Amino acid sequence: MGSHSPFQPIISPPPSAIAGWMTNASPSLPHAAVAHGPPGLVQPPNAVAFLNHPRLPTSSPGIDYHTAESEHLMKRIRIGQADEVSFSGATYSRNVYSQDDMPKTVVRTLNQGSNVMSLDFHPMHHTILLVGTNVGDIGIWEVGSRERVAHKTFKVWDIGSCSFPLQAALMKDAIISVNRCLWSPDGSILGVAFSKHLVQTYTFNLNGELRQQLEIDAHVGGVNDIAFSHPTKSLSIITCGDDKTIKVWDVATRQRQYTFEGHETPVYSVCPHYKESIQFIFSTAIDGKIKAWLYDCLGSRVDYDAPGRWCTTMAYSADGTRLFSCGTSKDGDSHLVEWNETEGTIKRTYSGFRKRSLGVVQFDTTRNRFLAAGDEFMIKFWDMDNANILTTSDADGGLPASPRLRFNREGSLLAVTTSDNGIKILANADGQRLVRMLESRAFDGSRGSFQLTNANVKAPVVGALGAVSNVSSPVAATPERPDRVLPAVSMMSLAVMDSNRAADVKPRISEDTEKIKSWKLADVVDSAHIKALHLPDSTSTKSKVVRLLYTNSGLAVLALGSNAVHKLWKWTCNDRNPSGKSTASVAPQLWQPSNSNFMTNETSDNNPEEATACIALSKNDSYVMSASGGKVSLFNMMTFKVMTTFMPPPPAATFLAFHPQDNNIIAIGMEDSSIQIYNVRVDEVKMKLKGHQKKITGLAFSQSLNVLVSSGADAQLCLWSIDGWEKKKSRFIQVPAGHASPLVGDTKVQFHNDQAHLLVVHQSQITIYDSKLECLCSWSPRDALPAPISSAIYSCDGVLVYSAFCDGAIGAFEADSLRLRCRIAPSAYISPPVSSPPGAAYPMVIAAHPSEPNQIALGMSDGAVHVVEPPDADPNWGSAHPHDGNGAVPTISPNHALNGTWKFLDDNCYYGSLYKSQT
């Protein structure tokens, strides 16, 4: 088969139409609303097609419509404008990424003790790694601390429930291997597929505890692959095996839901996915056949040949818009390709593989941009848009011919197997910073407690293991089996009984006490101790900044004024700023098109200064969607042209949020307290959600939790399931002590980058909630600081929460506990210095840089925009709080350096515990 030839269909649908089989789906299925009509490549405008629509022709050769290319949208966009509309985020600026983004530096070497067969990073806690071995063991590593926090050897939990073929197979040969292990989407469950019949699942919590959950005698022979999916509201696990079948099991009820038959050889891999609420499964067999299944047991809808016609795996990019496969033929020829899903053809074939590869080549994708594969005793990297190798790494040697590998979700770490039964962890610059931070936090000997921490969680989970002082590792090999490791709790319990070790506790607590006494809150009161830049603005149109954000590339800052006018500042590459990224050291340029017209929203007949403004930026920084009380406008960021407008008031749009998996779907909060789920492609409101009493002021998606959280001016939070948009829970935020009730004012929400913790911001408080909307910790200004909170946001790495106040003050808080680390007076970043008189300028909105965790931008009430970051000599905002032996917080003594300028809350704040609020 040629490298770019189409799939050769054996059964219907017609050639070139992988999308066509979707039209044959049963319309009665509750999970798949499928369009009727003849199969074909181009569906009618209102049809639901399988995967992204094909690119539609246009009379303007300069226009390239990706996933927003429906005929309806094309009619609404001005024909003749040479603009590219792409909501999918599938296109990126070339200067955003470089080879330095690839994790190539070895930062950890872990000894698993057995040959590692499968790897998977936790979906939320980005340094937790699950591994499975050729002797049936599974282990969980915290790679930052080098600790193996959990370990299970293989055993059958209930031999009496096993089938006779499985019992016979175990009697004949007791050796069993892990074929695949992986986490569920939220990381609370892990699944393991074995080389004989069985699938086991465990529940997992962050203290390293694994609990047996489900054991399935799933297939006759080996279980070659597993995957988690949500075909219904409950979690399902998909299995495939040597018996040529694919099966779907309900994890909660343990019942088999579907069995898919049709492969003629053992099924090698499965890849579930969904597009526009249509759920499906790709499967590959060892004869190279690719099939696709709906959840209806009506048989495979397509039957195609994979390149190489042997063992092949398939995977989507992180945003679900691009499909790849990698496989090796029986002759050892490897093929890594990107598919055109819509046409069933190979879009791109990646070069650089060794002829006659030794073993089946494994691959992975990351950041919607890069591919990696293990081949020729090294790791090979590709840019998704370039067929040639981007770079390679041998990880300092010691890799097998075809190493297995896995990225973490952020793409900052890469785990790769070694020839000596180990794992190497490679990191880019972000990954190295993450590992260094965890190295100092992961094991606190003074408290004798094992702490499993993660920079993306920032909430250490402490195991109650006793006051053990100098235990260097919570795991150790047994004398009988050096490749076996005792659970962490067992070793710690043994150490507790060692009285000699317990004697070391007192000196260590004393050392911590000294650290606490010497710790000081960082106060920044003048410009000599800060890097601050007032962005240049020569225009006469200045009004208060109501919305502010960085572009995703970090190259520009976009502000929306209360007068409905947008302003864009861009940094450029030069000798002083080689990276071209935003910095407080070099002034950017206020960007204006040749016609000097700024992007200006439509406004209503009412006073635009009083309207609630909202803004959202496309993933590729090409388009901005915005509203200021009137219609929602779509602007081209390069030309400032209006591409289209929609949603005329009343009611007016008050908040915008793109769906995490389909940027043609937008959640729009409205002034009438409703939330409209709007499909840009067909210009249609798909769902209207009602649960608030006042206007919507915040929306946040969590892809891993599969939820949308909304907040309103009614101080209420609502949790909505993305599948079906059912309201799962609602909660009013707590009224702080001494504060008037009921609460008034806007409430904003933002998910931490672990996609589990939620920051809730109100003028009365900043609060962290968990995925069930339970309050974990809270901070509120009282008495000494009457100024309300104007805005707050997570830093890009999730370590800090930045908060702005209506008197001009800025606070940097530790995200795990909301303890104050640094406070910045307005005199430090506003020149000339001010003493915060009534009516002085203050930050109305704060924005966090997308890749520099210590840089923020401030949108002011007087129309100014400031970029602020720490000085080069001390690149962090203060130091982390130390703890005493009992985890107590140090007392903050007043700092009189701020007297006469502004006051910040010291003893008048309150902290909640990590898992129980104390207000």
Side-chain angles (χ1 to χ4, degrees):
M1 184 170 65
S3 62
H4 290 278
S5 62
F7 282 122
Q8 298 301 315
I10 295 177
I11 59 174
S12 64
S16 80
I18 195 171
W21 62 269
M22 288 301 297
T23 61
N24 298 323
S26 171
S28 63
L29 294 177
H31 61 272
V34 182
H36 296 277
L41 177 60
V42 181
Q43 301 293 326
N46 294 323
V48 178
F50 172 44
L51 316 180
N52 291 333
H53 292 290
R55 295 184 180 182
L56 302 182
T58 174
S59 58
S60 174
I63 303 179
D64 182 12
Y65 298 92
H66 285 278
T67 57
E69 73 291 51
S70 72
E71 292 183 21
H72 192 86
L73 182 60
M74 289 177 63
K75 292 176 182 178
R76 295 188 290 118
I77 295 178
R78 300 177 182 178
I79 301 300
Q81 295 178 349
D83 296 312
E84 175 189 331
V85 175
S86 172
F87 297 105
S88 68
T91 56
Y92 293 85
S93 302
R94 280 285 176 186
N95 58 358
V96 175
Y97 299 102
S98 70
Q99 291 190 21
D100 294 336
D101 292 308
M102 294 294 90
K104 295 187 293 183
T105 302
V106 177
V107 294
R108 292 286 184 269
T109 299
L110 311 175
N111 180 21
Q112 178 61 33
S114 304
N115 187 22
V116 176
M117 304 298 293
S118 182
L119 301 152
D120 196 31
F121 275 102
H122 197 281
M124 296 182 185
H125 310 315
H126 300 155
T127 58
I128 297 179
L129 178 66
L130 170 67
V131 300
T133 75
N134 65 334
V135 295
D137 293 357
I138 59 170
I140 298 176
W141 293 84
E142 214 304 321
V143 301
S145 62
R146 300 184 178 90
E147 306 295 349
R148 181 155 55 179
V149 300
H151 178 258
K152 293 287 184 181
T153 57
F154 171 75
K155 69 175 181 179
V156 178
W157 300 345
D158 185 2
I159 191 67
S161 299
C162 294
S163 62
F164 287 118
L166 173 56
Q167 294 185 39
L170 293 173
M171 289 291 292
K172 182 179 180 181
D173 182 7
I175 297 176
I176 194 165
S177 172
V178 172
N179 280 344
R180 181 73 186 276
C181 59
L182 80 164
W183 297 100
S184 65
D186 67 356
S188 63
I189 296 171
L190 63 90
V192 190
F194 293 99
S195 57
K196 291 185 174 70
H197 293 245
L198 286 180
V199 171
Q200 294 177 345
T201 65
Y202 293 85
T203 60
F204 172 75
N205 58 38
L206 288 180
N207 64 8
E209 181 182 16
L210 288 176
R211 290 189 177 182
Q212 298 175 1
Q213 183 199 38
L214 180 65
E215 184 175 65
I216 309 172
D217 190 344
H219 295 272
V220 178
V223 183
N224 297 320
D225 198 11
I226 54 175
F228 288 99
S229 71
H230 278 278
T232 61
K233 292 182 179 180
S234 60
L235 180 68
S236 296
I237 187 168
I238 303 167
T239 66
C240 66
D242 288 345
D243 58 5
K244 309 174 187 177
T245 65
I246 301 111
K247 299 179 181 180
V248 183
W249 313 79
D250 188 293
V251 173
T253 65
R254 308 186 179 194
Q255 298 299 310
R256 186 175 66 205
Q257 298 170 301
Y258 305 96
T259 299
F260 302 126
E261 299 178 336
H263 279 292
E264 297 179 357
T265 58
V267 185
Y268 182 74
S269 70
V270 288
C271 176
H273 198 58
Y274 74 91
K275 293 275 186 175
E276 298 186 351
S277 300
I278 299 175
Q279 309 241 12
F280 55 93
I281 306 169
F282 277 124
S283 63
T284 67
I286 63 172
D287 60 359
K289 293 296 183 184
I290 299 175
K291 295 181 181 290
W293 318 80
L294 292 174
Y295 290 85
D296 55 12
C297 293
L298 296 181
S300 171
R301 304 308 173 90
V302 297
D303 192 343
Y304 301 124
D305 289 326
R309 302 193 181 190
W310 200 45
C311 298
T312 299
T313 55
M314 306 183 79
Y316 277 88
S317 58
D319 61 5
T321 62
R322 304 175 72 171
L323 177 64
F324 303 89
S325 73
C326 183
T328 303
S329 71
K330 292 181 180 180
D331 296 328
D333 294 331
S334 296
H335 305 268
L336 175 61
V337 302
E338 179 181 3
W339 293 97
N340 183 324
E341 303 167 305
T342 315
E343 299 178 359
T345 59
I346 294 175
K347 179 179 179 180
R348 182 178 288 106
T349 298
Y350 299 91
S351 62
F353 287 100
R354 166 185 173 156
K355 291 293 184 181
R356 309 290 180 183
S357 297
L358 302 175
V360 177
V361 169
Q362 307 291 316
F363 89 115
D364 199 10
T365 73
T366 186
R367 297 180 65 172
N368 301 316
R369 186 62 180 183
F370 298 112
L371 301 164
D375 180 49
E376 209 170 354
F377 305 94
M378 68 177 67
I379 306 157
K380 299 178 179 179
F381 299 95
W382 289 265
D383 183 303
M384 288 181 178
D385 294 331
N386 193 323
N388 298 318
I389 285 182
L390 176 65
T391 186
T392 63
S393 173
D394 66 356
D396 298 338
L399 302 186
S402 300
R404 303 174 188 274
L405 48 81
R406 185 69 59 195
F407 287 103
N408 70 350
R409 186 166 184 168
E410 290 181 321
S412 60
L413 299 177
L414 176 66
V416 58
T417 58
T418 66
S419 300
D420 57 356
N421 298 335
I423 306 159
K424 288 188 177 183
I425 306 298
L426 284 68
N428 61 15
D430 291 337
Q432 292 177 58
R433 285 193 292 268
L434 174 64
V435 167
R436 282 196 300 268
M437 179 171 55
L438 289 172
E439 194 169 26
S440 62
R441 297 177 61 182
F443 188 81
D444 184 352
S446 65
R447 281 180 284 171
S449 304
F450 172 70
Q451 287 189 338
L452 179 57
T453 64
N454 188 289
N456 298 291
V457 184
K458 308 303 173 305
V461 180
V462 181
L465 304 177
V468 184
S469 59
N470 55 357
V471 180
S472 61
S473 173
V475 293
T478 62
E480 296 82 8
R481 289 293 303 272
D483 61 332
R484 294 287 201 261
V485 179
L486 290 175
V489 173
S490 300
M491 283 303 298
M492 296 296 286
S493 301
L494 290 173
V496 169
M497 294 184 289
D498 188 341
S499 60
N500 293 330
R501 294 181 177 182
D504 290 336
V505 172
K506 289 184 179 179
R508 293 176 178 267
I509 292 178
S510 178
E511 292 172 10
D512 279 351
T513 303
E514 293 302 317
K515 291 179 182 178
I516 292 169
K517 290 179 179 179
S518 63
W519 183 86
K520 291 182 179 180
L521 177 68
D523 285 327
V524 181
V525 296
D526 61 61
S527 58
H529 302 102
I530 197 173
K531 288 166 60 179
L533 176 66
H534 182 181
L535 300 191
D537 187 356
S538 58
T539 66
S540 58
T541 56
K542 295 180 181 179
S543 64
K544 56 187 178 183
V545 179
V546 292
R547 295 290 179 265
L548 184 72
L549 48 82
Y550 282 90
T551 57
N552 297 297
S553 63
L555 304 176
V557 169
L558 177 66
L560 173 59
S562 57
N563 61 354
V565 175
H566 303 76
K567 294 181 181 179
L568 179 68
W569 286 269
K570 289 186 178 182
W571 279 260
T572 57
C573 295
N574 53 43
D575 294 340
R576 293 184 60 198
N577 186 25
S579 68
K581 291 189 176 182
S582 59
T583 172
S585 302
V586 179
Q589 177 185 359
L590 179 62
W591 193 261
Q592 287 182 271
S594 56
N595 59 13
S596 300
N597 291 328
F598 284 100
M599 294 181 288
T600 304
N601 282 331
E602 292 189 11
T603 57
S604 65
D605 296 333
N606 300 325
N607 183 2
E609 295 283 337
E610 302 301 323
T612 300
C614 49
I615 194 168
L617 187 64
S618 65
K619 292 180 181 178
N620 59 5
D621 292 338
S622 296
Y623 294 87
V624 62
M625 197 167 287
S626 182
S628 297
K631 293 180 181 179
V632 179
S633 299
L634 174 66
F635 296 95
N636 183 301
M637 287 276 283
M638 295 298 295
T639 64
F640 286 13
K641 293 178 181 177
V642 177
M643 305 303 298
T644 186
T645 60
F646 55 94
M647 286 279 181
T654 55
F655 205 92
L656 300 168
F658 284 108
H659 192 288
Q661 294 172 316
D662 185 350
N663 272 310
N664 294 291
I665 306 297
I666 306 168
I668 306 178
M670 309 299 290
E671 198 170 35
D672 66 353
S673 77
S674 68
I675 303 166
Q676 300 195 18
I677 308 302
Y678 175 73
N679 190 316
V680 178
R681 180 184 295 137
V682 296
D683 190 19
E684 181 179 339
V685 175
K686 294 295 186 181
M687 188 69 67
K688 192 171 184 177
L689 313 182
K690 295 183 178 180
H692 289 272
Q693 283 74 52
K694 295 184 180 180
K695 68 178 180 180
I696 305 301
T697 57
L699 296 168
F701 280 99
S702 170
Q703 182 172 349
S704 59
L705 297 178
N706 207 39
V707 299
L708 168 69
V709 172
S710 60
S711 61
D714 54 2
Q716 184 182 193
L717 307 175
C718 292
L719 185 71
W720 311 85
S721 170
I722 293 178
D723 295 331
W725 303 106
E726 174 189 2
K727 185 166 75 170
K728 302 173 69 176
K729 183 175 289 189
S730 63
R731 181 183 300 279
F732 287 91
I733 64 175
Q734 299 177 4
V735 179
H739 201 283
S741 179
L743 295 175
V744 296
D746 294 354
T747 307
K748 300 294 179 62
V749 287
Q750 180 197 5
F751 271 104
H752 188 280
N753 54 18
D754 67 5
Q755 293 282 288
H757 292 75
L758 182 75
L759 173 66
V760 177
V761 184
H762 185 265
Q763 63 182 12
S764 67
Q765 62 191 277
I766 50 177
T767 305
I768 307 296
Y769 287 82
D770 66 10
S771 59
K772 298 180 181 179
L773 296 188
E774 298 295 334
C775 177
L776 302 181
C777 55
S778 187
W779 184 97
S780 178
R782 296 169 59 192
D783 300 337
L785 183 64
I789 298 167
S790 59
S791 181
I793 194 169
Y794 276 119
S795 62
C796 63
D797 60 1
V799 174
L800 298 176
V801 170
Y802 295 108
S803 183
F805 295 85
C806 292
D807 62 354
I810 306 295
F813 298 81
E814 294 180 4
D816 60 354
S817 59
L818 294 183
R819 298 182 181 116
L820 181 61
R821 178 185 290 193
C822 177
R823 52 192 183 184
I824 306 168
S827 56
Y829 66 90
I830 299 177
S831 181
V834 296
S835 57
S836 295
Y842 69 93
M844 296 190 65
V845 60
I846 189 167
H849 192 284
S851 58
E852 297 294 335
N854 292 308
Q855 185 186 127
I856 55 176
L858 308 173
M860 307 295 289
S861 58
D862 64 355
V865 175
H866 299 276
V867 171
V868 177
E869 51 191 345
D872 294 334
D874 186 9
N876 297 308
W877 294 114
S879 58
H881 284 261
H883 298 262
D884 66 12
N886 297 315
V889 182
T891 301
I892 302 172
S893 58
N895 187 318
H896 300 286
L898 301 180
N899 289 347
T901 56
W902 62 291
K903 295 179 181 179
F904 206 99
L905 181 61
D906 286 331
D907 297 329
N908 292 297
C909 64
Y910 63 89
Y911 300 106
S913 67
L914 294 178
Y915 294 97
K916 182 178 180 182
S917 62
Q918 298 172 346
T919 58

